[in-house]
Amino acid sequence: MKKGLFITFEGIDGCGKSTQITLLKEKFSSENKEFIEVREPGGTRVGEKIRNILLDRKNDSMTRMAELLLFEAARAQITEEVIIPAIGNGVNVICDRFYDSTTAYQGYANKMGRDLTDFLNLKATSETSPDITFLLDIDPELAWKRRMGRGEEDRIEMLGLSYQEEVRTGYLELAKSEERIVIIDASRDPEVIHEEIVKHIWDLTG
Ligand code: T5A
């Protein structure tokens, strides 16, 4: 059986991932393509509990290592429980964040280092790699303005614009060495971005 496509969306907080995933789901549905949508951290019973711990503003004493290991624990769960079986059954997987988030946020912005994050990313995913990754690149200030009025910031959003700038740099560094990562200018109109994304997916699937 033909394997499902594993598509991931990445970028700083509020870069427009959810918006693009909604548009892609509509496209896949209209073309009768089988897919599931998942998110990280979360997407499983265990993972959603870990997500609550990670994003809870009250957990401001969480150490960087505890944070890293919690992200990886949630990832190990969703990869084994959901992603690997879906791909194996020919179902396309659209994932809101995957291990590139750990490389950019924990490895780069939190300065935990690529050696450690690469090692843990591979272990947590049994070396399951996305077929294509869309990095929605955007100025942190614009992303922040778009997010305004959406209620209280979570524990990571609270770290502010300079943190998001570090994360952005981390992603762009990573993209230099990963051919599967497509950098998308996310400052444009959602429909324009969507069309570019669809074109890349069609190019990949033929
Ligand atoms: N994290 C996660 C780590 O630190 N390490 C890890 O390993 C992992 C997996 C997760 C948090 O955890 C961190 C990263 C995050 O801080 P999340 O739920 O993924 O949290 O958080 P966000 O990325 O912040 O998700 P958001 O839902 O806030 O943002 P999206 O999905 O990127 O953006 P979206 O589509 O909701 O858009 C934001 C706003 O902009 C508008 C939308 O309508 C919305 O109001 N918008 C646009 N406006 C104009 N033009 C466009 N093109 C627009 N696109 C969207």
Side-chain angles (χ1 to χ4, degrees), residues 10-21 39-41 51 54-55 67-68 71-72 75 96-106 110 121 136 138 142-143 145-148 150 154 156-157 163-164 171 186-191 193:
E10 295 282 353
I12 63 167
D13 291 33
C15 62
K17 293 177 285 88
S18 311
T19 304
Q20 290 306 318
I21 288 170
R39 70 168 177 181
E40 269 223 54
R51 179 184 179 91
L54 278 163
L55 299 185
E67 178 184 291
L68 170 61
F71 277 118
E72 296 294 2
R75 178 163 303 128
D96 190 338
R97 298 192 180 281
F98 196 57
Y99 55 29
D100 297 328
S101 288
T102 293
T103 308
Y105 282 78
Q106 282 67 51
N110 283 2
N121 283 340
L136 302 185
I138 192 167
L142 179 54
K145 279 186 186 146
R146 285 181 182 173
R147 287 202 322 270
M148 266 173 30
R150 285 208 315 181
D154 65 38
I156 294 176
E157 287 167 344
Y163 184 76
Q164 296 293 327
Y171 271 125
S187 66
R188 297 168 297 162
D189 186 77
E191 279 299 334
I193 299 170

Short mmCIF file of all heavy atoms in Angstrom, two decimals, residues 10-21 39-41 51 54-55 67-68 71-72 75 96-106 110 121 136 138 142-143 145-148 150 154 156-157 163-164 171 186-191 193, ligand 1:
data_model
loop_
_atom_site.label_atom_id
_atom_site.label_comp_id
_atom_site.label_asym_id
_atom_site.label_seq_id
_atom_site.Cartn_x
_atom_site.Cartn_y
_atom_site.Cartn_z
N GLU A 10 5.26 24.74 10.41
CA GLU A 10 6.11 25.29 11.46
C GLU A 10 6.17 26.81 11.38
O GLU A 10 5.82 27.40 10.35
CB GLU A 10 7.54 24.74 11.31
CG GLU A 10 7.68 23.24 11.51
CD GLU A 10 7.68 22.81 12.98
OE1 GLU A 10 7.70 23.70 13.88
OE2 GLU A 10 7.67 21.60 13.23
N GLY A 11 6.67 27.41 12.43
CA GLY A 11 6.85 28.86 12.45
C GLY A 11 6.68 29.39 13.86
O GLY A 11 6.30 28.66 14.78
N ILE A 12 6.94 30.67 14.02
CA ILE A 12 6.82 31.29 15.35
C ILE A 12 5.34 31.33 15.75
O ILE A 12 4.45 31.07 14.94
CB ILE A 12 7.43 32.71 15.37
CG1 ILE A 12 6.68 33.65 14.41
CG2 ILE A 12 8.92 32.68 15.05
CD1 ILE A 12 7.02 35.12 14.61
N ASP A 13 5.09 31.72 17.00
CA ASP A 13 3.71 31.78 17.50
C ASP A 13 2.88 32.76 16.67
O ASP A 13 3.32 33.89 16.42
CB ASP A 13 3.70 32.24 18.96
CG ASP A 13 4.29 31.20 19.90
OD1 ASP A 13 5.22 30.49 19.48
OD2 ASP A 13 3.82 31.11 21.04
N GLY A 14 1.72 32.29 16.23
CA GLY A 14 0.79 33.16 15.49
C GLY A 14 1.19 33.41 14.05
O GLY A 14 0.70 34.36 13.43
N CYS A 15 2.03 32.54 13.47
CA CYS A 15 2.49 32.77 12.09
C CYS A 15 1.42 32.45 11.05
O CYS A 15 1.57 32.77 9.87
CB CYS A 15 3.75 31.95 11.80
SG CYS A 15 3.45 30.17 11.94
N GLY A 16 0.33 31.78 11.48
CA GLY A 16 -0.76 31.48 10.54
C GLY A 16 -0.89 30.01 10.19
O GLY A 16 -1.54 29.65 9.21
N LYS A 17 -0.32 29.13 11.03
CA LYS A 17 -0.38 27.69 10.75
C LYS A 17 -1.81 27.17 10.71
O LYS A 17 -2.20 26.50 9.76
CB LYS A 17 0.39 26.90 11.82
CG LYS A 17 1.88 27.09 11.84
CD LYS A 17 2.53 26.33 12.98
CE LYS A 17 2.30 27.01 14.32
NZ LYS A 17 1.11 26.68 15.05
N SER A 18 -2.57 27.51 11.76
CA SER A 18 -3.94 26.97 11.84
C SER A 18 -4.77 27.40 10.64
O SER A 18 -5.53 26.61 10.08
CB SER A 18 -4.64 27.46 13.12
OG SER A 18 -3.82 27.26 14.22
N THR A 19 -4.59 28.65 10.23
CA THR A 19 -5.33 29.18 9.08
C THR A 19 -5.00 28.38 7.83
O THR A 19 -5.88 27.97 7.08
CB THR A 19 -4.96 30.67 8.88
OG1 THR A 19 -5.23 31.36 10.10
CG2 THR A 19 -5.74 31.29 7.74
N GLN A 20 -3.72 28.12 7.62
CA GLN A 20 -3.30 27.37 6.42
C GLN A 20 -3.72 25.91 6.50
O GLN A 20 -4.08 25.31 5.48
CB GLN A 20 -1.78 27.48 6.22
CG GLN A 20 -1.34 28.86 5.80
CD GLN A 20 -2.08 29.36 4.55
OE1 GLN A 20 -2.29 28.59 3.61
NE2 GLN A 20 -2.50 30.60 4.55
N ILE A 21 -3.70 25.34 7.69
CA ILE A 21 -4.10 23.94 7.83
C ILE A 21 -5.60 23.80 7.51
O ILE A 21 -6.02 22.87 6.83
CB ILE A 21 -3.75 23.41 9.25
CG1 ILE A 21 -2.22 23.22 9.34
CG2 ILE A 21 -4.48 22.11 9.55
CD1 ILE A 21 -1.69 22.92 10.72
N ARG A 39 -1.95 17.85 16.19
CA ARG A 39 -1.14 18.99 16.63
C ARG A 39 -0.17 18.58 17.71
O ARG A 39 -0.39 17.62 18.44
CB ARG A 39 -2.03 20.12 17.14
CG ARG A 39 -2.72 19.81 18.46
CD ARG A 39 -3.34 21.04 19.05
NE ARG A 39 -4.06 20.75 20.28
CZ ARG A 39 -4.71 21.66 20.99
NH1 ARG A 39 -4.76 22.90 20.57
NH2 ARG A 39 -5.33 21.33 22.10
N GLU A 40 0.90 19.35 17.78
CA GLU A 40 1.91 19.15 18.81
C GLU A 40 2.12 20.43 19.59
O GLU A 40 2.16 21.49 18.96
CB GLU A 40 3.23 18.79 18.13
CG GLU A 40 3.43 17.31 17.95
CD GLU A 40 4.86 16.97 18.31
OE1 GLU A 40 5.28 17.32 19.43
OE2 GLU A 40 5.53 16.40 17.47
N PRO A 41 2.31 20.39 20.88
CA PRO A 41 2.12 19.20 21.69
C PRO A 41 0.64 18.88 21.80
O PRO A 41 -0.18 19.79 21.75
CB PRO A 41 2.70 19.60 23.06
CG PRO A 41 2.54 21.09 23.12
CD PRO A 41 2.68 21.56 21.70
N ARG A 51 0.37 18.93 27.12
CA ARG A 51 0.21 20.28 26.55
C ARG A 51 -0.25 21.28 27.63
O ARG A 51 0.26 22.39 27.72
CB ARG A 51 -0.82 20.23 25.41
CG ARG A 51 -1.06 21.59 24.77
CD ARG A 51 -2.16 21.52 23.70
NE ARG A 51 -2.38 22.84 23.14
CZ ARG A 51 -1.74 23.31 22.07
NH1 ARG A 51 -0.89 22.56 21.43
NH2 ARG A 51 -1.97 24.52 21.64
N LEU A 54 2.60 22.20 29.79
CA LEU A 54 3.60 23.03 29.09
C LEU A 54 3.14 24.47 28.89
O LEU A 54 3.96 25.40 28.95
CB LEU A 54 3.92 22.40 27.74
CG LEU A 54 4.93 21.26 27.78
CD1 LEU A 54 4.87 20.44 26.49
CD2 LEU A 54 6.34 21.79 28.00
N LEU A 55 1.85 24.66 28.60
CA LEU A 55 1.41 26.02 28.25
C LEU A 55 0.83 26.79 29.43
O LEU A 55 0.54 27.99 29.30
CB LEU A 55 0.38 25.94 27.10
CG LEU A 55 0.92 25.31 25.80
CD1 LEU A 55 -0.12 25.38 24.69
CD2 LEU A 55 2.21 25.98 25.33
N GLU A 67 11.10 21.15 30.36
CA GLU A 67 10.29 21.56 29.21
C GLU A 67 10.62 20.72 27.98
O GLU A 67 9.73 20.18 27.31
CB GLU A 67 10.55 23.05 28.92
CG GLU A 67 9.80 23.57 27.71
CD GLU A 67 10.14 25.01 27.39
OE1 GLU A 67 9.78 25.91 28.17
OE2 GLU A 67 10.79 25.25 26.34
N LEU A 68 11.91 20.59 27.71
CA LEU A 68 12.35 19.82 26.53
C LEU A 68 11.84 18.38 26.59
O LEU A 68 11.29 17.85 25.62
CB LEU A 68 13.89 19.85 26.45
CG LEU A 68 14.55 18.92 25.44
CD1 LEU A 68 14.13 19.24 24.01
CD2 LEU A 68 16.08 19.03 25.55
N PHE A 71 8.05 18.08 25.93
CA PHE A 71 7.72 18.15 24.50
C PHE A 71 8.03 16.81 23.82
O PHE A 71 7.25 16.31 23.00
CB PHE A 71 8.49 19.28 23.80
CG PHE A 71 7.85 20.64 23.95
CD1 PHE A 71 8.50 21.68 24.59
CD2 PHE A 71 6.58 20.88 23.43
CE1 PHE A 71 7.91 22.93 24.73
CE2 PHE A 71 5.97 22.13 23.56
CZ PHE A 71 6.64 23.15 24.21
N GLU A 72 9.17 16.22 24.18
CA GLU A 72 9.56 14.96 23.54
C GLU A 72 8.65 13.82 23.98
O GLU A 72 8.35 12.92 23.18
CB GLU A 72 11.03 14.62 23.86
CG GLU A 72 12.04 15.62 23.31
CD GLU A 72 12.12 15.67 21.77
OE1 GLU A 72 11.37 14.96 21.08
OE2 GLU A 72 12.97 16.45 21.28
N ARG A 75 5.57 14.03 22.00
CA ARG A 75 5.90 13.66 20.62
C ARG A 75 6.02 12.14 20.47
O ARG A 75 5.53 11.56 19.49
CB ARG A 75 7.22 14.34 20.22
CG ARG A 75 7.70 14.01 18.83
CD ARG A 75 8.74 15.01 18.38
NE ARG A 75 8.20 16.35 18.46
CZ ARG A 75 8.78 17.37 19.08
NH1 ARG A 75 9.95 17.24 19.66
NH2 ARG A 75 8.19 18.55 19.13
N ASP A 96 0.33 20.10 12.86
CA ASP A 96 0.60 21.47 13.33
C ASP A 96 1.76 21.38 14.32
O ASP A 96 1.56 21.04 15.47
CB ASP A 96 -0.67 22.00 14.01
CG ASP A 96 -0.59 23.48 14.32
OD1 ASP A 96 0.53 24.01 14.41
OD2 ASP A 96 -1.66 24.10 14.49
N ARG A 97 2.96 21.63 13.83
CA ARG A 97 4.24 21.52 14.55
C ARG A 97 4.69 20.08 14.66
O ARG A 97 3.90 19.16 14.83
CB ARG A 97 4.19 22.13 15.96
CG ARG A 97 3.89 23.63 15.97
CD ARG A 97 4.16 24.21 17.36
NE ARG A 97 3.88 25.63 17.40
CZ ARG A 97 4.70 26.57 16.94
NH1 ARG A 97 5.86 26.23 16.44
NH2 ARG A 97 4.37 27.84 17.01
N PHE A 98 6.01 19.88 14.61
CA PHE A 98 6.63 18.57 14.86
C PHE A 98 8.02 18.88 15.40
O PHE A 98 8.22 19.94 16.02
CB PHE A 98 6.65 17.72 13.57
CG PHE A 98 6.92 16.26 13.79
CD1 PHE A 98 6.12 15.51 14.63
CD2 PHE A 98 7.96 15.61 13.13
CE1 PHE A 98 6.36 14.14 14.82
CE2 PHE A 98 8.21 14.25 13.30
CZ PHE A 98 7.41 13.53 14.14
N TYR A 99 9.00 18.02 15.15
CA TYR A 99 10.25 18.19 15.89
C TYR A 99 11.07 19.42 15.52
O TYR A 99 11.94 19.83 16.28
CB TYR A 99 11.11 16.94 15.89
CG TYR A 99 11.51 16.30 14.59
CD1 TYR A 99 11.67 17.01 13.43
CD2 TYR A 99 11.78 14.93 14.59
CE1 TYR A 99 12.07 16.38 12.26
CE2 TYR A 99 12.19 14.29 13.42
CZ TYR A 99 12.33 15.02 12.25
OH TYR A 99 12.73 14.41 11.11
N ASP A 100 10.78 20.07 14.38
CA ASP A 100 11.50 21.31 14.07
C ASP A 100 11.20 22.39 15.12
O ASP A 100 12.03 23.28 15.36
CB ASP A 100 11.13 21.83 12.68
CG ASP A 100 11.53 20.85 11.59
OD1 ASP A 100 12.55 20.15 11.76
OD2 ASP A 100 10.82 20.78 10.57
N SER A 101 10.01 22.31 15.73
CA SER A 101 9.69 23.29 16.79
C SER A 101 10.67 23.15 17.95
O SER A 101 11.13 24.15 18.51
CB SER A 101 8.27 23.05 17.33
OG SER A 101 7.30 23.44 16.40
N THR A 102 10.99 21.90 18.29
CA THR A 102 11.94 21.69 19.39
C THR A 102 13.33 22.23 19.02
O THR A 102 14.01 22.84 19.85
CB THR A 102 12.02 20.20 19.74
OG1 THR A 102 10.76 19.81 20.28
CG2 THR A 102 13.11 19.91 20.75
N THR A 103 13.72 22.01 17.77
CA THR A 103 15.04 22.52 17.33
C THR A 103 15.07 24.05 17.47
O THR A 103 16.05 24.61 17.98
CB THR A 103 15.30 22.12 15.87
OG1 THR A 103 15.11 20.72 15.74
CG2 THR A 103 16.71 22.49 15.45
N ALA A 104 13.99 24.71 17.01
CA ALA A 104 13.99 26.18 17.02
C ALA A 104 13.76 26.77 18.41
O ALA A 104 14.47 27.70 18.82
CB ALA A 104 12.93 26.69 16.04
N TYR A 105 12.78 26.25 19.15
CA TYR A 105 12.44 26.84 20.45
C TYR A 105 13.41 26.40 21.56
O TYR A 105 13.97 27.23 22.27
CB TYR A 105 11.00 26.46 20.86
CG TYR A 105 9.89 27.23 20.17
CD1 TYR A 105 9.51 26.91 18.86
CD2 TYR A 105 9.22 28.26 20.80
CE1 TYR A 105 8.49 27.59 18.23
CE2 TYR A 105 8.18 28.96 20.17
CZ TYR A 105 7.83 28.62 18.89
OH TYR A 105 6.81 29.30 18.26
N GLN A 106 13.57 25.04 21.70
CA GLN A 106 14.40 24.57 22.81
C GLN A 106 15.88 24.55 22.40
O GLN A 106 16.74 25.02 23.16
CB GLN A 106 13.95 23.17 23.25
CG GLN A 106 12.70 23.15 24.11
CD GLN A 106 11.44 23.58 23.38
OE1 GLN A 106 11.13 23.08 22.30
NE2 GLN A 106 10.70 24.53 23.96
N ASN A 110 16.21 28.48 23.45
CA ASN A 110 16.52 28.15 24.86
C ASN A 110 17.96 27.69 25.04
O ASN A 110 18.37 27.34 26.15
CB ASN A 110 15.60 27.03 25.36
CG ASN A 110 14.22 27.52 25.68
OD1 ASN A 110 13.89 28.68 25.49
ND2 ASN A 110 13.37 26.62 26.16
N ASN A 121 14.94 14.21 19.37
CA ASN A 121 13.94 14.22 18.29
C ASN A 121 13.92 12.87 17.57
O ASN A 121 12.85 12.33 17.28
CB ASN A 121 14.25 15.33 17.28
CG ASN A 121 13.84 16.71 17.79
OD1 ASN A 121 13.02 16.82 18.70
ND2 ASN A 121 14.41 17.74 17.21
N LEU A 136 6.32 28.84 7.92
CA LEU A 136 5.63 30.10 7.67
C LEU A 136 6.44 31.21 8.34
O LEU A 136 6.37 31.41 9.55
CB LEU A 136 4.20 30.05 8.21
CG LEU A 136 3.31 28.93 7.64
CD1 LEU A 136 1.89 29.04 8.14
CD2 LEU A 136 3.33 28.94 6.12
N ILE A 138 7.61 34.89 9.27
CA ILE A 138 6.95 36.18 9.46
C ILE A 138 7.67 37.00 10.53
O ILE A 138 8.27 36.43 11.45
CB ILE A 138 5.46 35.95 9.86
CG1 ILE A 138 4.66 37.25 9.79
CG2 ILE A 138 5.32 35.30 11.22
CD1 ILE A 138 3.16 37.04 9.86
N LEU A 142 4.52 41.49 13.49
CA LEU A 142 3.29 41.32 12.70
C LEU A 142 2.47 40.14 13.24
O LEU A 142 1.24 40.22 13.38
CB LEU A 142 3.65 41.10 11.21
CG LEU A 142 2.48 40.88 10.25
CD1 LEU A 142 1.43 41.99 10.34
CD2 LEU A 142 2.99 40.76 8.81
N ALA A 143 3.17 39.05 13.57
CA ALA A 143 2.47 37.88 14.14
C ALA A 143 1.79 38.26 15.45
O ALA A 143 0.66 37.86 15.73
CB ALA A 143 3.45 36.74 14.36
N LYS A 145 0.76 41.26 16.37
CA LYS A 145 -0.39 42.13 16.09
C LYS A 145 -1.60 41.29 15.66
O LYS A 145 -2.73 41.57 16.04
CB LYS A 145 -0.04 43.12 14.98
CG LYS A 145 0.75 44.31 15.49
CD LYS A 145 0.97 45.33 14.40
CE LYS A 145 1.90 46.44 14.89
NZ LYS A 145 2.76 46.97 13.85
N ARG A 146 -1.34 40.25 14.86
CA ARG A 146 -2.44 39.39 14.41
C ARG A 146 -3.07 38.63 15.58
O ARG A 146 -4.25 38.34 15.57
CB ARG A 146 -1.93 38.36 13.39
CG ARG A 146 -1.65 38.95 12.03
CD ARG A 146 -1.19 37.83 11.14
NE ARG A 146 -0.84 38.25 9.80
CZ ARG A 146 -0.29 37.45 8.90
NH1 ARG A 146 -0.03 36.20 9.21
NH2 ARG A 146 -0.01 37.90 7.71
N ARG A 147 -2.25 38.29 16.56
CA ARG A 147 -2.74 37.50 17.70
C ARG A 147 -3.47 38.34 18.73
O ARG A 147 -4.17 37.81 19.59
CB ARG A 147 -1.57 36.81 18.42
CG ARG A 147 -0.95 35.66 17.70
CD ARG A 147 -0.20 34.71 18.64
NE ARG A 147 0.53 35.33 19.73
CZ ARG A 147 1.80 35.73 19.67
NH1 ARG A 147 2.48 35.59 18.57
NH2 ARG A 147 2.38 36.25 20.74
N MET A 148 -3.29 39.67 18.63
CA MET A 148 -3.85 40.57 19.65
C MET A 148 -5.36 40.37 19.78
O MET A 148 -6.05 40.17 18.80
CB MET A 148 -3.56 42.03 19.29
CG MET A 148 -2.30 42.51 19.97
SD MET A 148 -1.74 44.14 19.46
CE MET A 148 -3.16 45.02 19.05
N ARG A 150 -6.80 37.92 21.27
CA ARG A 150 -7.22 36.51 21.33
C ARG A 150 -7.20 35.97 22.76
O ARG A 150 -7.22 34.76 22.98
CB ARG A 150 -6.29 35.64 20.47
CG ARG A 150 -6.56 35.78 19.00
CD ARG A 150 -6.20 34.55 18.23
NE ARG A 150 -4.91 33.98 18.62
CZ ARG A 150 -4.38 32.91 18.08
NH1 ARG A 150 -5.02 32.28 17.14
NH2 ARG A 150 -3.21 32.47 18.46
N ASP A 154 -0.16 32.34 26.47
CA ASP A 154 0.27 31.15 27.21
C ASP A 154 1.70 31.33 27.72
O ASP A 154 2.34 32.37 27.48
CB ASP A 154 0.08 29.87 26.37
CG ASP A 154 0.97 29.83 25.12
OD1 ASP A 154 2.13 30.28 25.20
OD2 ASP A 154 0.50 29.34 24.08
N ILE A 156 4.55 30.26 26.86
CA ILE A 156 5.63 30.51 25.89
C ILE A 156 5.43 31.86 25.19
O ILE A 156 6.38 32.62 25.00
CB ILE A 156 5.75 29.32 24.92
CG1 ILE A 156 6.23 28.11 25.74
CG2 ILE A 156 6.73 29.63 23.78
CD1 ILE A 156 6.32 26.82 25.00
N GLU A 157 4.19 32.19 24.86
CA GLU A 157 3.92 33.49 24.23
C GLU A 157 4.34 34.64 25.15
O GLU A 157 4.76 35.70 24.70
CB GLU A 157 2.42 33.62 23.90
CG GLU A 157 1.99 32.75 22.72
CD GLU A 157 0.49 32.63 22.57
OE1 GLU A 157 -0.25 32.95 23.52
OE2 GLU A 157 0.05 32.18 21.50
N TYR A 163 12.22 36.81 22.21
CA TYR A 163 12.26 35.35 22.21
C TYR A 163 11.79 34.82 20.85
O TYR A 163 12.41 33.94 20.25
CB TYR A 163 11.39 34.80 23.34
CG TYR A 163 11.45 33.29 23.47
CD1 TYR A 163 12.55 32.65 24.02
CD2 TYR A 163 10.41 32.49 23.02
CE1 TYR A 163 12.62 31.27 24.11
CE2 TYR A 163 10.46 31.11 23.11
CZ TYR A 163 11.57 30.50 23.66
OH TYR A 163 11.63 29.13 23.75
N GLN A 164 10.69 35.39 20.35
CA GLN A 164 10.16 34.95 19.05
C GLN A 164 11.17 35.22 17.92
O GLN A 164 11.27 34.47 16.96
CB GLN A 164 8.83 35.66 18.74
CG GLN A 164 7.70 35.33 19.71
CD GLN A 164 7.24 33.88 19.61
OE1 GLN A 164 7.26 33.28 18.54
NE2 GLN A 164 6.84 33.31 20.74
N TYR A 171 14.76 28.76 13.21
CA TYR A 171 14.09 28.09 12.09
C TYR A 171 14.84 28.34 10.78
O TYR A 171 15.03 27.43 9.97
CB TYR A 171 12.66 28.63 11.93
CG TYR A 171 11.60 27.91 12.73
CD1 TYR A 171 10.78 28.60 13.61
CD2 TYR A 171 11.38 26.54 12.57
CE1 TYR A 171 9.77 27.97 14.31
CE2 TYR A 171 10.38 25.89 13.28
CZ TYR A 171 9.58 26.61 14.15
OH TYR A 171 8.58 25.96 14.84
N ALA A 186 4.92 34.41 5.06
CA ALA A 186 3.61 34.34 5.70
C ALA A 186 2.98 35.71 5.95
O ALA A 186 1.96 35.81 6.61
CB ALA A 186 3.71 33.56 7.01
N SER A 187 3.61 36.77 5.41
CA SER A 187 3.04 38.11 5.62
C SER A 187 1.96 38.41 4.58
O SER A 187 1.30 39.43 4.64
CB SER A 187 4.15 39.17 5.53
OG SER A 187 4.68 39.20 4.22
N ARG A 188 1.78 37.51 3.61
CA ARG A 188 0.85 37.77 2.50
C ARG A 188 -0.57 37.30 2.82
O ARG A 188 -0.84 36.75 3.89
CB ARG A 188 1.38 37.06 1.24
CG ARG A 188 2.73 37.59 0.78
CD ARG A 188 3.33 36.69 -0.27
NE ARG A 188 3.58 35.35 0.24
CZ ARG A 188 3.77 34.27 -0.51
NH1 ARG A 188 3.73 34.37 -1.82
NH2 ARG A 188 4.00 33.10 0.03
N ASP A 189 -1.43 37.50 1.84
CA ASP A 189 -2.83 37.11 1.98
C ASP A 189 -2.95 35.58 2.16
O ASP A 189 -2.24 34.83 1.49
CB ASP A 189 -3.55 37.56 0.69
CG ASP A 189 -5.02 37.35 0.78
OD1 ASP A 189 -5.68 38.15 1.44
OD2 ASP A 189 -5.51 36.35 0.19
N PRO A 190 -3.85 35.11 3.05
CA PRO A 190 -3.96 33.66 3.29
C PRO A 190 -4.16 32.83 2.02
O PRO A 190 -3.57 31.76 1.88
CB PRO A 190 -5.19 33.54 4.20
CG PRO A 190 -5.33 34.86 4.85
CD PRO A 190 -4.75 35.88 3.92
N GLU A 191 -4.98 33.32 1.08
CA GLU A 191 -5.26 32.54 -0.15
C GLU A 191 -4.01 32.40 -1.02
O GLU A 191 -3.80 31.36 -1.65
CB GLU A 191 -6.38 33.20 -0.96
CG GLU A 191 -7.78 32.89 -0.44
CD GLU A 191 -8.11 31.38 -0.48
OE1 GLU A 191 -7.53 30.66 -1.31
OE2 GLU A 191 -8.92 30.95 0.35
N ILE A 193 -0.90 32.41 0.05
CA ILE A 193 -0.02 31.45 0.75
C ILE A 193 -0.52 30.03 0.48
O ILE A 193 0.26 29.12 0.16
CB ILE A 193 -0.01 31.74 2.27
CG1 ILE A 193 0.53 33.15 2.55
CG2 ILE A 193 0.79 30.69 3.01
CD1 ILE A 193 0.36 33.61 3.98
N1 T5A B 1 6.52 24.57 21.22
C1 T5A B 1 5.89 23.57 20.54
C2 T5A B 1 7.86 24.43 21.62
O1 T5A B 1 8.42 25.33 22.28
N2 T5A B 1 8.53 23.28 21.31
C3 T5A B 1 7.93 22.24 20.64
O2 T5A B 1 8.59 21.21 20.38
C4 T5A B 1 6.56 22.39 20.23
C5 T5A B 1 5.86 21.28 19.48
C6 T5A B 1 2.46 25.57 21.04
C7 T5A B 1 3.54 26.34 21.77
O3 T5A B 1 4.53 25.42 22.14
C8 T5A B 1 5.78 25.79 21.58
C9 T5A B 1 5.45 26.67 20.42
C10 T5A B 1 4.20 27.39 20.87
O4 T5A B 1 4.59 28.50 21.66
P1 T5A B 1 0.58 26.39 19.50
O5 T5A B 1 -0.80 26.10 19.88
O6 T5A B 1 1.15 25.64 18.38
O7 T5A B 1 1.40 26.30 20.86
O8 T5A B 1 0.82 27.93 19.33
P2 T5A B 1 0.94 28.87 18.16
O9 T5A B 1 1.94 28.50 17.16
O10 T5A B 1 1.13 30.18 18.84
O11 T5A B 1 -0.47 28.72 17.46
P3 T5A B 1 -1.48 29.81 17.18
O12 T5A B 1 -2.80 29.13 17.00
O13 T5A B 1 -1.40 30.90 18.17
O14 T5A B 1 -0.96 30.40 15.83
P4 T5A B 1 -1.05 29.92 14.34
O15 T5A B 1 -1.86 28.68 14.22
O16 T5A B 1 0.28 29.90 13.76
O17 T5A B 1 -1.82 31.14 13.67
P5 T5A B 1 -3.35 31.31 13.27
O18 T5A B 1 -3.61 30.69 11.97
O19 T5A B 1 -4.21 30.97 14.42
O20 T5A B 1 -3.31 32.89 13.00
C11 T5A B 1 -3.14 33.82 14.04
C12 T5A B 1 -4.04 35.05 13.74
O21 T5A B 1 -3.63 35.64 12.51
C13 T5A B 1 -4.68 35.64 11.55
C14 T5A B 1 -5.69 34.61 12.03
O22 T5A B 1 -6.99 34.93 11.61
C15 T5A B 1 -5.52 34.70 13.55
O23 T5A B 1 -6.29 35.75 14.07
N3 T5A B 1 -4.04 35.28 10.27
C16 T5A B 1 -3.80 36.15 9.28
N4 T5A B 1 -4.07 37.47 9.14
C17 T5A B 1 -3.66 38.07 7.97
N5 T5A B 1 -3.01 37.42 6.96
C18 T5A B 1 -2.73 36.10 7.07
N6 T5A B 1 -2.07 35.48 6.07
C19 T5A B 1 -3.13 35.41 8.27
N7 T5A B 1 -2.99 34.13 8.68
C20 T5A B 1 -3.55 34.07 9.92
#
